[in-house]
Amino acid sequence: MSSLQQQPQEPVLLLKEGTTETKKRDAQKNNITAAKMLAQILKSSLGPRGLDKMLVDPLGDVTITNDGATILKEIDAQHPAAKMMVEVTKSVDNEVGDGTTSVAVLAGSLLEKAEELINKNVHATVIVDGYRRAAEKAIKILREISTQIDPEDKEDLAKIARTTMASKMASGQSETLANIVVDGILKIVEEYESQENSIGRRSDSTKKSNYRVDLDNIKVERKAGASIHDSKLIEGIVLDKEVVHGGMPKRIENARIALVNSPLEVEKPEFDAKLNISNPSQMQRFLDEENKILGSMVEKFSSAGANVVLCQKGIDDMAQHYLAKAGVLAVRRIKESDMSKLAKATGATMITNIDEITSNDLGDAQLVEERRVETDKWVFVEGCRNPKALSILLRGGSQRVVDEAERSVHDALMTVKDVIEYPYVVPGGGAPEAIVSQQIREWSNSLEGRAQLAAEQFADSIETIPLVLAENAGMDPIDTQVQLRTKITNSNKPKYGIDVINKKIADMASRFVYEPLAVKEHIVNGATEVASMILRIDDVIASSKSQAPTGPPGGGGGMGGYGGAM
Ligand code: ADP
Ligand code: MG
């Protein structure tokens, strides 16, 4: 007994030297603060009146955008909790293509409200549970207030596209692009056999439509130097490359197209080879031989019947010459992604071994033509065998304008796809969030104990969406909150939200501002999920050399600082 006491106490070393551990409250506080900071950055860019962010990357390249997903990607947050937020917004962007700013703002708000409860000694598990139940209820309410649309109604779809783009561009411009997007999608939409007979819709039961949209069929090309209104839909594929040789035809009707993914040149020996030439005639013979190989290579295309050769790799000068002589239009160094689009559009098979080419490998298009686009020459492949191959040619005054236009078009393509496949819409302008907030506050009274507190906080959190929209429009948030609550309580029918253009509370359904139900569901689920994940962490163990694990939590950068690049 006594000998034991004499021994000095050995410290128990569980973790590697230099590892830091942040526990309980501190860990939670750290994570919540980081996530809140991220939300704070994004807040001011929510909605049509939101401002843009100028992002400068380490090389000095500047991006100006209002797109939540792009902002989050570019700021490269280092804090593990902030990284979790970025992951969730990314997944929402991949799934539904819009609502990224809203997810971050809502998640930040949920965490802020959770912090208040934690300070009042409510256990994180209770909050997480309350949030989960409130989120389920929120989805139910959203479904109830949603309206079913006809997935082929052009006007309804255009409203969706316009609302999505409203936050990134002027209204006249979004009008033009919305029409292009909707026209394009309606050309590629596919209808499936109905699986089940639709039985009248119950108020909260929603189901997918029989339509599917494959956005791989639409290729977006951009070119600065003209107005956005000059953007157009092209039925076919546009290649930002020119015809490789001046002597080739610039226009081929009834094109028979060969797609080649190996270079059209004489193969070089794999190891150093030395060639001893002692007189000029030998040199000539050598060159002649090379030319003969190239000539017979080109001959293969002609005998298979190809009059257009589209090559992913390079084309040798001599091969160009022979192709030109044979009257073939050829383009080289085409992007791999474009090659696969071309294969799908024209029905051509990719050719790797030129010796084995047959006429069965060739694809068809009514017209292949080189046209001038500003100072460049581009090749247009139109009237393809698969009519579902489309391109959107985006124009804009400057590179930054077309870049932002492309992000808007991406969002619009995705949201239109969302409503075609899941044909329900809710009004925008924070109207559904305001209704959900109010109904959850009422519903929370039916809950017991502390879960009720959590549900109330959820109701407050979701109300931040209309309030932030109002704030960004220059309206007073407190006044707006009071007025919005009164209006909603007094009449349950119209869907009051923030008309940010006219800076007042209005029935958003009458403002033609609509959003896909799919996006709203993803916002609620995504934000609740990431907030819960962050709340459940009560211990952060970070090893000193923090290169190894990259995934959250406890991954990357040291726990002390919040988001390095902010
Ligand atoms: P997110 O990345 O979340 O999509 P946005 O910056 O695109 O963020 O803003 C979307 C919000 O703007 C939505 O809540 C939407 O309802 C709202 N909104 C879009 N157009 C209007 C409008 N004309 N009036 C009011 N709110 C609008
Ligand atoms: Mg948006």
Side-chain angles (χ1 to χ4, degrees):
M1 188 72 181
S2 61
S3 69
L4 253 181
Q5 279 167 346
Q6 276 157 13
Q7 270 184 8
Q9 279 267 302
E10 281 273 342
V12 182
L13 279 182
L14 176 66
L15 304 170
K16 247 208 308 218
E17 197 180 345
T19 304
T20 56
E21 190 183 9
T22 326
K23 280 176 101 58
K24 295 275 146 63
R25 281 281 167 87
D26 281 343
Q28 268 169 350
K29 279 228 157 72
N30 266 344
N31 287 337
I32 290 174
T33 313
K36 263 174 23 190
M37 286 173 75
L38 205 59
Q40 196 62 40
I41 292 180
L42 288 186
K43 241 182 186 171
S44 64
S45 66
L46 184 75
R49 292 282 177 169
L51 299 179
D52 292 349
K53 307 281 169 194
M54 179 187 254
L55 307 162
V56 186
D57 76 2
L59 294 176
D61 278 347
V62 175
T63 307
I64 295 174
T65 183
N66 175 297
D67 185 55
T70 310
I71 300 170
L72 286 174
K73 201 164 65 207
E74 294 283 328
I75 57 180
D76 190 21
Q78 290 302 309
H79 193 285
K83 281 188 180 171
M84 288 163 73
M85 293 267 280
V86 176
E87 297 273 310
V88 167
T89 53
K90 244 194 238 160
S91 84
V92 170
D93 193 40
N94 289 341
E95 298 259 336
V96 288
D98 195 16
T100 46
T101 317
S102 309
V103 180
V105 170
L106 180 55
S109 185
L110 285 170
L111 286 165
E112 189 173 338
K113 301 284 169 190
E115 202 175 18
E116 290 171 14
L117 294 181
I118 290 173
N119 289 339
K120 288 185 193 152
N121 282 325
V122 180
H123 197 275
T125 318
V126 177
I127 306 174
V128 168
D129 188 48
Y131 276 3
R132 187 184 48 79
R133 288 166 67 184
E136 276 168 16
K137 180 75 186 167
I139 302 279
K140 252 196 169 137
I141 300 168
L142 284 170
R143 289 180 180 174
E144 275 164 17
I145 63 172
S146 70
T147 322
Q148 187 162 10
I149 61 153
D150 172 6
E152 285 190 292
D153 182 328
K154 214 181 135 173
E155 202 28 58
D156 277 349
L157 297 178
K159 279 180 204 159
I160 299 282
R162 277 203 297 271
T163 305
T164 307
M165 290 196 278
S167 46
K168 295 196 185 67
M169 29 191 26
S171 61
Q173 303 179 333
S174 55
E175 181 91 38
T176 308
L177 294 187
N179 289 335
I180 293 178
V181 163
V182 173
D183 284 346
I185 289 201
L186 286 179
K187 288 211 163 84
I188 61 163
V189 67
E190 280 166 70
E191 190 175 1
Y192 284 77
E193 285 289 307
S194 168
Q195 306 283 324
E196 52 185 301
N197 281 329
S198 72
I199 326 150
R201 183 186 167 210
R202 283 206 329 272
S203 63
D204 72 330
S205 78
T206 47
K207 62 187 189 62
K208 293 218 153 199
S209 71
N210 297 323
Y211 296 92
R212 293 293 169 266
V213 174
D214 182 0
L215 288 183
D216 278 347
N217 284 319
I218 300 188
K219 174 173 189 279
V220 181
E221 268 304 340
R222 28 190 187 154
K223 182 81 197 154
S227 141
I228 292 231
H229 300 289
D230 296 326
S231 303
K232 56 176 175 270
L233 184 68
I234 288 159
E235 296 194 28
I237 306 259
V238 179
L239 302 169
D240 59 343
K241 295 277 182 304
E242 57 187 306
V243 171
V244 70
H245 189 278
M248 287 176 178
K250 298 289 182 312
R251 178 187 166 94
I252 299 239
E253 281 176 38
N254 298 323
R256 298 278 290 141
I257 303 170
L259 292 184
V260 190
N261 63 3
S262 58
L264 298 193
E265 55 197 25
V266 177
E267 261 180 81
K268 303 277 178 299
E270 284 194 8
F271 39 84
D272 276 344
K274 209 174 198 171
L275 212 61
N276 281 324
I277 293 174
S278 48
N279 62 48
S281 73
Q282 275 179 336
M283 181 67 197
Q284 193 54 47
R285 279 222 315 275
F286 177 72
L287 290 176
D288 287 349
E289 190 57 31
E290 221 179 46
N291 288 347
K292 228 168 79 194
I293 299 176
L294 289 169
S296 70
M297 196 184 259
V298 169
E299 179 55 36
K300 298 257 165 45
F301 289 111
S302 300
S303 54
N307 49 15
V308 172
V309 172
L310 303 178
C311 183
Q312 193 182 330
K313 302 278 167 54
I315 303 180
D316 184 278
D317 287 352
M318 209 27 121
Q320 291 176 22
H321 168 77
Y322 283 124
L323 285 166
K325 253 176 57 181
V328 173
L329 182 161
V331 182
R332 67 176 164 184
R333 299 196 207 291
I334 299 172
K335 272 185 288 188
E336 193 177 352
S337 59
D338 287 350
M339 290 297 279
S340 51
K341 284 207 168 77
L342 283 165
K344 201 168 162 193
T346 63
T349 332
M350 205 75 80
I351 300 156
T352 312
N353 185 354
I354 296 161
D355 287 333
E356 288 171 7
I357 173 172
T358 69
S359 72
N360 286 339
D361 296 326
L362 304 183
D364 304 285
Q366 277 162 16
L367 179 66
V368 176
E369 186 179 29
E370 181 187 87
R371 286 179 213 150
R372 191 171 276 280
V373 181
E374 288 308 303
T375 49
D376 293 353
K377 291 171 188 159
W378 286 5
V379 171
F380 291 69
V381 182
E382 294 179 346
C384 300
R385 186 189 288 178
N386 170 13
K388 294 195 186 306
L390 300 177
S391 299
I392 292 176
L393 179 51
L394 273 183
R395 308 303 309 269
S398 74
Q399 196 55 44
R400 288 194 221 301
V401 172
V402 272
D403 286 351
E404 185 74 344
E406 190 193 16
R407 286 187 281 271
S408 315
V409 164
H410 158 259
D411 286 9
L413 285 169
M414 287 290 286
T415 47
V416 173
K417 169 185 153 87
D418 291 340
V419 284
I420 287 179
E421 296 184 345
Y422 185 58
Y424 304 92
V425 297
V426 289
E433 287 88 350
I435 295 173
V436 166
S437 165
Q438 191 232 21
Q439 293 197 12
I440 290 210
R441 208 169 285 121
E442 274 170 21
W443 165 80
S444 71
N445 291 327
S446 69
L447 298 180
E448 275 163 22
R450 295 181 171 197
Q452 182 179 355
L453 294 179
E456 277 169 10
Q457 298 296 69
F458 187 96
D460 282 356
S461 303
I462 199 152
E463 204 181 17
T464 44
I465 300 283
L467 297 185
V468 169
L469 283 172
E471 208 178 326
N472 288 345
M475 296 162 71
D476 183 82
I478 310 271
D479 288 351
T480 312
Q481 184 176 37
V482 175
Q483 285 172 22
L484 191 57
R485 283 191 187 184
T486 329
K487 284 216 165 170
I488 292 179
T489 324
N490 292 344
S491 76
N492 233 338
K493 277 279 158 251
K495 285 143 188 171
Y496 286 111
I498 313 296
D499 176 355
V500 298
I501 307 299
N502 301 309
K503 298 194 187 186
K504 59 177 192 220
I505 292 171
D507 177 3
M508 293 313 287
S510 70
R511 292 291 190 274
F512 305 114
V513 179
Y514 284 106
E515 289 182 286
L517 174 62
V519 171
K520 294 290 165 189
E521 289 190 8
H522 271 82
I523 292 172
V524 169
N525 283 333
T528 311
E529 186 185 302
V530 69
S532 307
M533 238 179 345
I534 290 176
L535 285 173
R536 267 205 221 96
I537 299 166
D538 78 331
D539 206 351
V540 176
I541 303 161
S543 49
S544 60
K545 288 258 171 26
S546 42
Q547 317 138 316
T550 47
M559 288 302 300
Y562 303 128
M566 291 179 211

